[in-house]
Amino acid sequence: MPEEKEPAMEPVQPEDDIEIEFLDQEVENEEVNRQAVEEEPEGLEPVLQASVEEEAEHLKAELDHVRDIYLRKLAEFDNFRKRVEREREELRLAGVEDMVRELLPVLDNFERALQHAEDDSGAFRQGIEMIAKQLWDTLERRGVQEVNPVGQAFDPELHEAVQRVEDGQHPPGTVAWVMLKGYTMGDRLVRPAMVGVAVEAGGNSNGEGGGS
């Protein structure tokens, strides 16, 4: 009977040799990675620089756009604020104008009373004068000015012609007399002056509502 042979045993590699081979492999891999990093492809840096500049230009354009929107909105708000202030002032002046217009007949009556009391030098006349002056001072503080245009050229913006007058003392087209004084408040006409306008001799002296 033939004798059986035992299978040949491979020599066992020491553990220290395995560890050394593993470390050598890691060192080799690190060296390869380092060389790959150091040996970057030519032209990569200019490409990155161009990309950064392009992004910077894009951000600058967006910033300019936002700044432009901000400036436009700021201008719109400033115009809105000025318009509101102007409208508020218009409303205030309109209210004052209405009040002044209602007080003018009172002032007219004081002036008529003083004209009828010219011969009276007593306390009654003095009292009327004081009250009329106090009322007028109050209106004047509100910017009210008198329109008493005797001798001035007729102005349809300030005067209302109620009669044509043949008057040799005043040139044609001028105000010969004032029936009712007019008043302004700032650049507002509160009430036009009702006047008689001088015309040449032979003209119509009874027509009302006409101009020069």
Side-chain angles (χ1 to χ4, degrees):
M1 182 173 181
E3 188 174 320
E4 295 182 358
K5 295 181 180 182
E6 294 182 358
M9 300 291 292
E10 294 181 359
V12 178
Q13 188 175 2
E15 294 182 359
D16 291 342
D17 293 342
I18 296 175
E19 185 174 354
I20 290 173
E21 290 181 2
F22 179 75
L23 292 175
D24 291 340
Q25 184 65 35
E26 284 189 345
V27 171
E28 184 179 352
N29 292 338
E30 290 180 359
E31 182 67 19
V32 171
N33 293 335
R34 184 181 63 79
Q35 292 178 358
V37 171
E38 291 178 352
E39 298 175 0
E40 293 181 349
E42 294 184 1
L44 180 59
E45 184 175 349
V47 171
L48 292 175
Q49 182 67 22
S51 177
V52 170
E53 292 178 355
E54 182 179 353
E55 182 66 18
E57 288 294 328
H58 177 69
L59 293 176
K60 183 178 181 300
E62 287 187 352
L63 179 61
D64 291 340
H65 178 65
V66 171
R67 183 185 293 112
D68 183 62
I69 292 176
Y70 167 75
L71 292 176
R72 285 204 305 269
K73 295 300 181 183
L74 187 64
E76 290 176 2
F77 176 76
D78 188 57
N79 292 335
F80 171 75
R81 178 182 58 80
K82 290 179 180 178
R83 184 171 65 253
V84 169
E85 290 178 355
R86 186 167 56 251
E87 291 175 353
R88 184 185 295 116
E89 181 65 12
E90 286 290 329
L91 289 174
R92 186 189 70 81
L93 290 176
V96 175
E97 182 181 345
D98 290 341
M99 180 196 68
V100 170
R101 188 176 292 108
E102 291 179 0
L103 290 175
L104 289 181
V106 179
L107 187 62
D108 294 336
N109 288 332
F110 274 120
E111 291 184 351
R112 293 190 187 100
L114 290 173
Q115 289 174 0
H116 286 86
E118 288 181 353
D119 298 333
D120 186 358
S121 59
F124 177 73
R125 176 181 174 83
Q126 293 177 1
I128 293 178
E129 287 178 343
M130 290 178 60
I131 297 173
K133 184 178 185 305
Q134 186 178 18
L135 176 58
W136 173 246
D137 289 344
T138 300
L139 295 175
E140 198 171 28
R141 284 195 297 271
R142 294 289 184 176
V144 177
Q145 298 293 325
E146 186 180 82
V147 179
N148 190 14
V150 174
Q152 299 177 12
F154 176 78
D155 184 353
E157 297 293 329
L158 297 174
H159 314 146
E160 181 178 341
V162 296
Q163 189 176 16
R164 298 173 185 265
V165 181
E166 294 183 9
D167 186 350
Q169 296 181 355
H170 298 90
T174 60
V175 176
W177 57 272
V178 176
M179 185 180 77
L180 194 63
K181 293 178 183 178
Y183 294 92
T184 61
M185 188 179 69
D187 57 353
R188 293 169 174 262
L189 179 65
V190 180
R191 186 179 74 184
M194 297 184 180
V195 301
V197 181
V199 296
E200 295 181 357
N204 182 11
S205 62
N206 295 321
E208 295 186 358
S212 57

